[in-house]
Structures are given as structure tokens and as C-alpha cells.
Amino acid sequence: MNFKKHILGLFMILIALIPIGAFALGGLYVTPLTENLHGAPGSQVTFMTSITNQSNVQLTAVIAFRDFYIDSNGNYSMTTFASYTHSCAPWITTPSTAPIVGAGQSIQVPFTITIPSNVSGEYFATILINNTAPNQTGSIIVGVNTAVLITLKIDNMPMTYQAQFKGVKLYSTNSDNLPANFPSGLKGSGIPYALEMNYTNTGNSVIGLDGQFRLVSDTLHQIVYATSLARQATLAFPGITRTIWIPINRIVPNGDYRVLLSANLGNGIMTSQSFSMKVTDQKISPFPFLSTDKYIINIPFQVPNAFLNANFNVQSLDYRISDVKFELVGMTQSYQGPVVEAPLNQSLFGNLKVYPNPLVVYPYASRNVVIAGKGPATVPASGEYYALLKLSESVSGGEATTTEIPIVLSVGKLTKSIALSDFKVTPDGSNVNISLNVQNTGNSMTYYAGEIFITDATDHAVNSSPAILSIGVLYSGATVHRTMTLPFKVLKGYTVRIVMYYFNDQTFKNTATVSTQQKIN
């Protein structure tokens, strides 16, 4: 079983509220944070935990034992023991559950697990070591919990990897009648459907689904969707019924379906499942549902009159035949932010053609598209130049919709820089309105995002964490206007400051910053 790396974030659980008054500097340092143990039925297992008081005052290390498992929704849970059948928390003892640790002192705390004689498989627990610093005043107390994860494997007993599946159900992500445990990240995400699959771990060891998932339309006689499932994202602890949500980025028309699953539960134990499902009352858009594997097409300039080319894929996420027509136009970025059509620079892009054009994409199929042609006859100045590829998409014989993909011709050495201007802060009762212009002063596109800080007349923070100006893209030569309304009352003497980050791409590589601020007079 290899799930330890996915729960290391749980080991330091900081319950940090707003501190009032004095509290201990530092706290309790606990090591190790994991114990991977084993023992035979009827035996005892003993281990030691080191607790060091890093503060300058005496602390009491309050110790509690809790269950540990992943619940039905995939969340890590620490509860009181006796509620989970594969918890070893009730078996753990220690000489004192409230040892006193002097300032700067380290102690070794022994723990003993007494294993019952009639158990097998894997068992889990969490030891919570809590310290509440003394000398705190006020109604809010700052406390720190450190969690030590215990895994216990029973020796000389078989490990079983078994599951019972309970069917599947398909949901539209735009439905108003979604179950309470429906993932919030899928609501209105642009992914049209999510499939719910439930299975119960009926063995005595942690299992997961490491394998293949397929959605097959018996009506269309076609595989609608196929994907891989990962063990770490689908773990089920013994006795737990796990709910798995599988995003379906395909149009799923009304009809009869089979869901096919082939997966390794663990230790090479395979399961194959087939579920029948009927889809009804699905309202299908008159427009096709297509995707491309590139959202920006980059074409580097080499030498004058050189042959330029780039390619991308158009994939149908639709059960119908789709027609696509291509048109190359100019592009600029508006003051409001979106890219808009402009006259095409014929000397740079006039020879580029799209092949094939028009394009026919069959249901759930993918087609390769090539943009090619003779490049500029002379070397343009260093920088980026832009065009816009328009895809007019329609279901055969139906109404068309348009998708646009920027084309970037890059020449020579590229620079990135931005400037901020017209920064305005307008108090509005309990809110504050903020606006500014962001200008690309380099010669290539850049991504940017900002943090907004508000301080009062004594330079104390008004917002405990900075407000975030969402990420945007800024093309060379463009200036965009950004606005925000924040729920803070800003008074005379307050200062509002924005720090703008700009970077190469959405992975935040090579980040630089600029900033500006305004004081309310």
C-alpha cells in the first residue's frame, strides 16, 4: 500500500485563529510523523514518539487517539474511535495522555498497541498531540494539533482485496437537482456530465481502482468516452463505501449505455465490471461540441521567405458529424480585455493557408489541421505579431457557431514587461472600488495576476489575506482596464496597494512584479 505521500499534509494540522494577547513562542515538535507497524494477532507492538518543547514556557502535550480513514467522498477523516471497524485507535495506550514538557525539554513517549487475537488485514489510527499555549488572554485561544499517522499490518494473516460495486448514474453538471456530495468544481465547469460510481471495500486492506473506464453507447454502437482511473484518486479503506466522480467531456445523447470497468484493486487482484444505464430527457445543443488541443498557435520566424507551418488537432466530443470552415483574420486586444478581429497583416500572414478547409469531423473522432505557407519576405522587427484563426463549426446542415484561436508569429529576441497606470481607489460605504490600466510594455504576450493589500492609518493590515486580481493574458502593444469591488470599508489615511505579477505562462515561470498604491486623503 502506497498512499503515505498523499496524506503528509495532514500531519501538521494548524488550527490557527486570530491571536489575542501573549502566547508561547514556538510549540511542540513531534517526530516521527508516521509509524508503519506490524504484529501478529494477540501480540503487543511498542513504539516511541519524541516530543520537544521549542517554546520558552512549560507546555502540556495532551494526547488523544482517533480513527483515520478516507471517507466516501475522498476526504481524510479523523474521528473518535469505535466508529470505524478497521481502526486500531482503541488498542493504543500510553502511560500518560497529558505529559508535561518543560521549556526546551525533549521527552520520549512510549505507546503500546495490543492487537486482538481475531483480526486480519490493515488497521489505522491517528495520535493527536495537542498543546494550548499558556498565558493567553481573550476569548480566542490559539492551539496546535500534530497528527501522527499509524498504519498496522497484521502478520501471518491473509490480505484480501475485494470490492462490491453498487451501480452508476449520470448527472448533467448544469442540473438544478444535483446530489449534496456532487463536486463543486464540476458545476458549471463546461464539462457537460459527471458519472457517479459507488463501490464498497469488502476486504481487509486498502484498495483502489487502477485501470480503464469506458462508456459505450449501445444505441450508437460506439465507445463514447474512455479514460484511465488512478489508484491514488480512488482509494477505499476497508469497510468504506467510496463515491467516484468521473467527468465526461462528451455529449451523451438519449439511449442505452454500458459502463465497462477493468481495474487492479491492489496486489494484482483484478476486477471487471459492467453496468447498464439508460439516458433520457437530455436536451442537446443545436451546435457541435468540439475541442482543440491548442488554445494559442505559435509559429517561430526563421529567415525571410522560409516556409512556415504549424498543426493542431480538432476533436469531436459529439455524436453527430461536424463541419468546420476556417478563416484567417487579423487580431488585436480590446481595452476591455477580449481579443477582437482587425485587418490582417498581409505581408506577414497573407500566404498562410489552412488544410483541409473545410473539414469534416466524425463522431468522437479527431482530425489533424495544418497551417502552412511562405513567410514574410523581409525580417520584421523583434517581437510578436498576431492573427486570429476562426473556426466556423456546425452540425451537418445546422446552424454555425464560431471558435477563435490566436496565432502568434514570434521574431527575434522577445521581452516581457508591464506598466500600471490610472490606479483609482473609490470608497463606497462598506465596499471599495478599485480600477487600473495594465499595459504591455514589452514586445511579447505575458500572463499577469495581482494581489491587493489594504492597510489602515497605522499601517496595520485591514484584509488578513490579500485580495486576488484574477489571471489575465496581455498581448504585445495592448492596454486593458481592470476593475474590482472589495468588501472593505476604506477610510481617510488608509492605503490600498496592488502588486502585479507577470510571467511566461500559466505555470508562473520567470515571475516579475510591478506595484502601485494610493493613500486615501
Side-chain angles (χ1 to χ4, degrees):
M1 182 183 61
N2 181 23
F3 63 94
K4 182 170 62 177
K5 64 181 180 180
H6 290 264
I7 54 183
L8 291 178
L10 293 170
F11 297 151
M12 289 301 295
I13 302 173
L14 302 180
I15 308 171
L17 300 175
I18 303 172
I20 299 178
F23 59 93
L25 300 175
L28 297 180
Y29 175 77
V30 179
T31 186
L33 295 179
T34 59
E35 290 286 355
N36 296 300
L37 308 171
H38 64 92
S43 68
Q44 288 188 329
V45 178
T46 298
F47 59 96
M48 306 291 290
T49 297
S50 174
I51 303 177
T52 300
N53 184 352
Q54 296 182 317
S55 75
N56 58 359
V57 296
Q58 176 179 286
L59 295 175
T60 300
V62 179
I63 297 171
F65 307 119
R66 298 287 186 265
D67 295 347
F68 176 80
Y69 58 91
I70 296 176
D71 68 15
S72 60
N73 294 318
N75 302 313
Y76 296 101
S77 179
M78 298 181 190
T79 64
T80 56
F81 63 78
S83 63
Y84 176 52
T85 57
H86 270 256
S87 173
C88 58
W91 311 341
I92 306 175
T93 57
T94 187
S96 172
T97 56
I100 295 173
V101 192
Q105 180 186 8
S106 292
I107 64 172
Q108 298 294 316
V109 179
F111 294 93
T112 300
I113 301 179
T114 302
I115 304 174
S117 59
N118 59 344
V119 295
S120 62
E122 293 176 311
Y123 289 79
F124 311 90
T126 296
I127 299 175
L128 293 182
I129 300 176
N130 171 268
N131 73 86
T132 299
N135 303 323
Q136 297 190 76
T137 61
S139 59
I140 300 177
I141 303 300
V142 178
V144 177
N145 275 338
T146 300
V148 179
L149 175 63
I150 308 299
T151 61
L152 175 65
K153 180 179 178 181
I154 306 302
D155 293 339
N156 305 322
M157 299 297 289
M159 306 280 285
T160 58
Y161 303 85
Q162 301 170 350
Q164 180 179 354
F165 289 81
K166 299 184 178 181
V168 295
K169 188 172 182 179
L170 188 72
Y171 291 92
S172 169
T173 58
N174 292 320
S175 172
D176 294 327
N177 297 311
L178 296 173
N181 64 338
F182 190 87
S184 59
L186 290 176
K187 296 178 182 178
S189 62
I191 297 173
Y193 302 99
L195 185 136
E196 178 188 19
M197 176 186 295
N198 294 289
Y199 78 101
T200 301
N201 184 342
T202 56
N204 62 17
S205 307
V206 173
I207 61 174
L209 303 178
D210 186 8
Q212 297 295 316
F213 166 92
R214 290 178 177 84
L215 178 62
V216 180
S217 171
D218 291 331
T219 304
L220 300 175
H221 305 290
Q222 189 166 10
I223 296 176
V224 173
Y225 184 66
T227 190
S228 297
L229 299 181
R231 171 181 171 82
Q232 300 298 338
T234 58
L235 290 176
F237 274 44
I240 299 296
T241 296
R242 181 69 195 274
T243 299
I244 307 298
W245 294 97
I246 303 172
I248 307 292
N249 65 338
R250 302 286 192 275
I251 288 183
V252 180
N254 295 329
D256 296 319
Y257 292 84
R258 281 174 294 135
V259 172
L260 305 179
L261 173 69
S262 177
N264 178 4
L265 296 176
N267 201 35
I269 305 300
M270 300 297 296
T271 183
S272 295
Q273 303 291 326
S274 177
F275 310 97
S276 296
M277 180 178 69
K278 182 180 287 291
V279 176
T280 59
D281 299 326
Q282 292 298 318
K283 297 179 180 180
I284 304 301
S285 168
F287 305 113
F289 190 30
L290 304 177
S291 72
T292 61
D293 64 346
K294 293 182 181 178
Y295 299 97
I296 295 178
I297 298 173
N298 292 288
I299 303 177
F301 175 86
Q302 302 294 337
V303 294
N305 294 315
F307 185 78
L308 304 177
N309 74 92
N311 64 82
F312 65 98
N313 293 314
V314 177
Q315 183 179 18
S316 170
L317 308 176
D318 205 313
Y319 68 100
R320 301 163 294 186
I321 297 175
S322 301
D323 296 325
V324 184
K325 296 179 181 178
F326 299 95
E327 181 185 7
L328 197 63
V329 299
M331 186 195 97
T332 188
Q333 188 171 15
S334 70
Y335 185 60
Q336 290 73 32
V339 296
V340 294
E341 288 188 38
L344 181 67
N345 188 325
Q346 294 290 335
S347 65
L348 298 178
F349 298 101
N351 295 323
L352 295 181
K353 305 295 180 183
V354 182
Y355 306 95
N357 187 15
L359 173 73
V360 176
V361 188
Y362 288 92
Y364 307 118
S366 181
R367 295 288 304 274
N368 184 252
V369 179
V370 176
I371 304 172
K374 189 177 179 181
T378 59
V379 180
S382 292
E384 289 182 344
Y385 302 87
Y386 306 113
L388 198 62
L389 182 63
K390 297 177 63 178
L391 290 70
S392 179
E393 308 164 349
S394 63
V395 178
S396 292
E399 188 177 354
T401 186
T402 300
T403 299
E404 299 174 336
I405 304 176
I407 297 177
V408 180
L409 179 67
S410 56
V411 181
K413 183 178 180 179
L414 301 181
T415 62
K416 295 186 184 296
S417 61
I418 66 173
L420 308 179
S421 62
D422 294 331
F423 184 52
K424 296 180 181 179
V425 179
T426 307
D428 183 17
S430 59
N431 296 325
V432 58
N433 300 316
I434 298 170
S435 65
L436 78 162
N437 291 336
V438 187
Q439 180 184 5
N440 189 333
T441 53
N443 67 7
S444 64
M445 64 168 284
T446 185
Y447 291 89
Y448 70 96
E451 290 184 324
I452 299 172
F453 303 85
I454 303 174
T455 54
D456 62 18
T458 60
D459 290 332
H460 288 92
V462 174
N463 51 339
S464 57
S465 59
I468 303 300
L469 183 72
S470 61
I471 189 170
V473 60
L474 192 60
Y475 290 91
S476 175
T479 298
V480 299
H481 185 65
R482 297 295 301 267
T483 62
M484 282 189 74
T485 297
L486 300 179
F488 297 101
K489 187 174 184 178
V490 174
L491 304 174
K492 183 178 180 179
Y494 282 32
T495 299
V496 178
R497 180 171 181 259
I498 183 167
V499 178
M500 196 74 74
Y501 302 85
Y502 58 99
F503 31 90
N504 288 357
D505 54 36
Q506 292 179 332
T507 61
F508 296 88
K509 292 180 179 178
N510 301 323
T511 299
T513 63
V514 293
S515 65
T516 187
Q517 66 183 41
Q518 180 180 331
K519 187 172 184 177
I520 307 300
N521 296 317

